[in-house]
């Protein structure tokens, strides 16, 4: 896959590690920064990576900040992005199976490297189930475009 990766200053070390992991797994990486330990603003980097996904230039994005939370809030504001904070393997699995998430956010301060790698590998390899979930994703798309969700 083509994968965009981004972090803020807090996520930089984990970003560098995961970038190597992804390359070793055979993925193509687009590094959207930051590449400095200087304090910076995570929405800048979330937007860069998220827009590579919605433009079709990348298949998915991986975003890292202190908790994953700020990155997920920012990325999810970009129409077409379904972002998740992957805090364990089960949530990463379900975020693909049921929610077809295209952005994974990780917390450099909330999880260790082994856990981050396990979550990342699970998220990358778990397929979306489709079926009954399609209508729910369409409802989310409606919300993005300002429409009310219609219950069936
Ligand atoms: C940066 O201080 C910190 O707020 C950021 O890395 C992230 O945890 C935000 O959600």
């Amino acid at each position: 896959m083509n994968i965009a990766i981004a972090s803020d200053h807090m996520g930089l070390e984990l970003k560098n590690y995961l970038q190597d992991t992804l390359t070793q797994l055979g993925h193509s990486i687009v590094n959207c920064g930051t590449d400095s330990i200087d304090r910076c603003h995570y929405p800048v980097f979330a937007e860069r990576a998220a827009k590579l996904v919605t433009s079709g230039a990348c298949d998915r994005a991986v975003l890292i900040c202190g908790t994953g939370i700020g990155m997920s809030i920012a990325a999810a504001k970009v129409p077409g992005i379904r972002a998740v904070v992957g805090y364990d393997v089960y949530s990463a699995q379900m975020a693909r199976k049921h929610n077809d998430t295209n952005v994974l956010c990780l917390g450099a301060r909330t999880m260790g490297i082994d856990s981050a790698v396990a979550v990342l590998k699970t998220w990358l390899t778990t397929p979306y189930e489709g079926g009954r979930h399609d209508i729910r994703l369409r409802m989310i798309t409606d919300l993005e475009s300002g429409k009310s969700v219609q219950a069936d």
Side-chain angles (χ1 to χ4, degrees):
M1 278 192 261
N2 283 332
I3 300 178
I5 191 164
S7 75
D8 68 358
H9 52 293
M10 283 214 183
L12 177 59
E13 200 179 333
L14 184 56
K15 174 170 75 76
N16 289 339
Y17 187 91
L18 295 181
Q19 196 169 324
D20 289 347
T21 305
L22 288 166
T23 303
Q24 281 162 21
L25 289 170
H27 299 288
S28 298
I29 306 304
V30 180
N31 175 20
C32 299
T34 183
D35 291 307
S36 160
I37 55 166
D38 295 343
R39 189 173 295 147
C40 62
H41 305 303
Y42 57 80
V44 172
F45 303 95
E47 180 187 17
R48 280 184 200 163
K51 287 193 171 168
L52 286 177
V53 175
T54 55
S55 73
C58 288
D59 304 297
R60 310 255 189 103
V62 178
L63 308 178
I64 305 134
C65 62
T67 58
I69 296 171
M71 283 292 198
S72 69
I73 293 171
K77 297 293 181 190
V78 176
I81 291 299
R82 290 180 298 278
V84 62
V85 181
Y87 52 89
D88 63 13
V89 165
Y90 180 74
S91 65
Q93 205 174 43
M94 296 309 284
R96 289 289 315 135
K97 279 187 178 181
H98 287 195
N99 311 109
D100 196 20
T101 49
N102 47 14
V103 173
L104 175 68
C105 303
L106 299 169
R109 292 215 158 170
T110 56
M111 63 202 309
I113 285 181
D114 289 351
S115 174
V117 169
V119 165
L120 177 61
K121 283 184 175 171
T122 300
W123 184 77
L124 288 173
T125 54
T126 305
Y128 172 54
E129 279 180 356
R132 70 187 189 280
H133 304 292
D134 285 343
I135 187 171
R136 297 160 188 167
L137 297 194
R138 278 200 298 277
M139 288 174 169
I140 292 170
T141 304
D142 283 349
L143 280 174
E144 279 177 346
S145 57
K147 291 184 204 159
S148 283
V149 171
Q150 301 299 317
D152 32 64

